[in-house]
């Protein structure tokens, strides 16, 4: 949750979603556990959970509450909200097959990066890029690609809102260093994350623009450092991503 609370927001709604996010993060929870985690009265948490259960957004299993599948339907509707998203999904699968690594489609939402689609190639390794997970934009290749495609004014807004939090010792946490990196990305057309999200993992990202010039999202490919290096890091994978991004931009323009 953001540190700043808009006085126009409804406290009860905020509390309900804090409870939902806590249960999701902990993969389930009892009333007492959630109340202790959030510093709320047990009666307050119980009322919210009872309402959410009645609406079928949470499921009660004994004394423990878990997130219900109703959220799955809402999430899938979000991912299907336009033909462009479905075209992106198909291209992510194609990139994964071409590179034999893990491929992702990422968008910016509320100043953060969120994984929308992912696919695994033949040699892909398991990472922490779960669909729907939010990450600091500057900590990942796709996020840096998106930042490089945004106006500086928007980049400044994001920095003011979220800062530059660290994921590993290699994550960019300095504003001037970030702007220098964005300049390099704009010049060469793709970004590189060298163990900035996860130690032992490198990734390449390429931004995608809508027909009106706004940023749609970014494609990325990630893999272990011993495989993603040399020509694969600097030419082979970037060329695949650049070509795929160009295809999607043309598809969006003429579909």
């Amino acid at each position: 949750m953001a540190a700043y609370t808009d006085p126009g927001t409804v406290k009860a709604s905020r509390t309900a979603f804090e409870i939902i996010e806590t249960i999701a993060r902990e993969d389930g929870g009892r009333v007492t556990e959630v109340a202790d985690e959030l510093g709320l009265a047990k009666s307050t948490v119980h009322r919210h959970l009872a309402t959410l259960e009645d609406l079928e957004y949470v499921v009660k299993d004994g004394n423990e509450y878990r997130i219900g599948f109703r959220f799955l339907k809402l999430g899938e509707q979000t991912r299907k909200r336009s033909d462009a998203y479905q075209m992106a999904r198909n291209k992510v699968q194609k990139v994964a097959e071409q590179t034999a690594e893990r491929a992702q489609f990422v968008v910016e939402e509320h100043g953060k990066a969120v994984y929308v689609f992912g696919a695994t190639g033949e040699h892909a390794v398991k990472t922490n890029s779960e669909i729907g997970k939010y990450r600091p934009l500057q900590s990942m290749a796709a996020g840096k690609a998106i930042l490089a495609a945004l106006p500086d004014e928007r980049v400044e807004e994001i920095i003011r809102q979220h800062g530059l939090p660290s994921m590993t010792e290699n994550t960019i946490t300095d504003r001037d260093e970030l702007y220098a990196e964005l300049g390099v990305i704009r010049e060469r057309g793709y970004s590189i994350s060298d163990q900035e999200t996860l130690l032992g993992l490198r990734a390449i990202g390429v931004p995608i623009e809508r027909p009106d010039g706004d940023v749609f999202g970014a494609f990325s490919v990630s893999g272990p450092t011993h495989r993603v290096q040399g020509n694969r890091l600097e030419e082979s994978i970037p060329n695949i991503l650049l070509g795929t991004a160009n295809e999607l931009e043309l598809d969006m323009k003429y579909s």
Side-chain angles (χ1 to χ4, degrees):
M1 291 291 179
Y4 170 72
T5 302
D6 188 328
T9 60
V10 178
K11 184 178 179 181
S13 298
R14 180 178 292 274
T15 299
F17 279 100
E18 287 176 344
I19 291 170
I20 289 168
E21 290 186 356
T22 299
I23 292 174
R25 184 173 62 251
E26 301 298 329
D27 194 24
R30 299 169 182 257
V31 170
T32 300
E33 295 169 342
V34 176
D36 290 345
E37 174 74 17
L38 297 175
L40 297 170
K42 287 189 289 184
S43 59
T44 299
V45 173
H46 182 268
R47 287 197 301 272
H48 279 286
L49 286 172
T51 302
L52 290 166
E53 183 186 14
D54 185 58
L55 294 171
E56 301 180 352
Y57 284 102
V58 300
V59 177
K60 190 176 182 182
D61 183 8
N63 292 322
E64 189 168 81
Y65 290 87
R66 299 186 183 278
I67 297 299
F69 282 111
R70 185 173 287 272
F71 282 105
L72 182 63
K73 178 182 178 182
L74 296 178
E76 195 59 25
Q77 285 177 336
T78 300
R79 298 203 302 175
K80 291 180 177 178
R81 61 188 173 194
S82 73
D83 290 341
Y85 280 89
Q86 292 311 299
M87 289 188 285
R89 180 182 213 163
N90 295 336
K91 294 189 185 301
V92 165
Q93 184 63 53
K94 180 180 176 182
V95 169
E97 293 170 358
Q98 288 178 301
T99 62
E101 303 288 358
R102 180 176 293 274
Q104 294 93 200
F105 171 65
V106 175
V107 302
E108 179 265 320
E109 187 173 77
H110 302 302
K112 297 179 182 179
V114 58
Y115 295 97
V116 179
F117 297 117
T120 55
E122 183 180 1
H123 303 300
V125 296
K126 182 175 176 58
T127 68
N128 58 357
S129 56
E130 292 97 339
I131 300 306
K133 177 171 281 189
Y134 286 82
R135 292 292 186 203
L137 282 162
Q138 95 292 351
S139 72
M140 53 194 294
K144 289 196 289 185
I146 290 172
L147 286 172
L150 290 173
D152 285 347
E153 294 80 4
R154 177 58 181 148
V155 176
E156 281 297 321
E157 289 177 1
I158 292 171
I159 294 174
R160 284 196 300 270
Q161 184 179 8
H162 300 292
L164 298 171
S166 176
M167 296 289 293
T168 74
E169 60 193 36
N170 299 316
T171 308
I172 294 176
T173 57
D174 178 78
R175 179 183 174 279
D176 292 339
E177 183 182 354
L178 174 62
Y179 273 101
E181 177 86 352
L182 298 183
V184 172
I185 295 168
R186 288 163 181 159
E187 183 175 341
R188 72 185 175 199
Y190 64 90
S191 63
I192 293 176
S193 170
D194 190 358
Q195 307 183 75
E196 296 167 49
T197 304
L198 190 68
L199 293 177
L201 194 79
R202 287 199 183 103
I204 302 100
V206 169
I208 306 155
E209 292 187 354
R210 298 179 186 273
D212 61 7
D214 288 343
V215 183
F216 178 57
F219 288 130
S220 69
V221 167
S222 57
T225 54
H226 74 274
R227 283 206 304 263
V228 183
Q229 61 175 321
N231 178 265
R232 292 197 84 211
L233 176 66
E234 298 173 1
E235 186 172 347
S236 176
I237 294 176
N239 284 343
I240 289 173
L241 286 171
L242 287 165
T244 304
N246 181 244
E247 288 175 5
L248 179 56
E249 289 172 347
L250 290 172
D251 288 344
M252 289 191 293
K253 185 175 182 179
Y254 294 109
S255 63

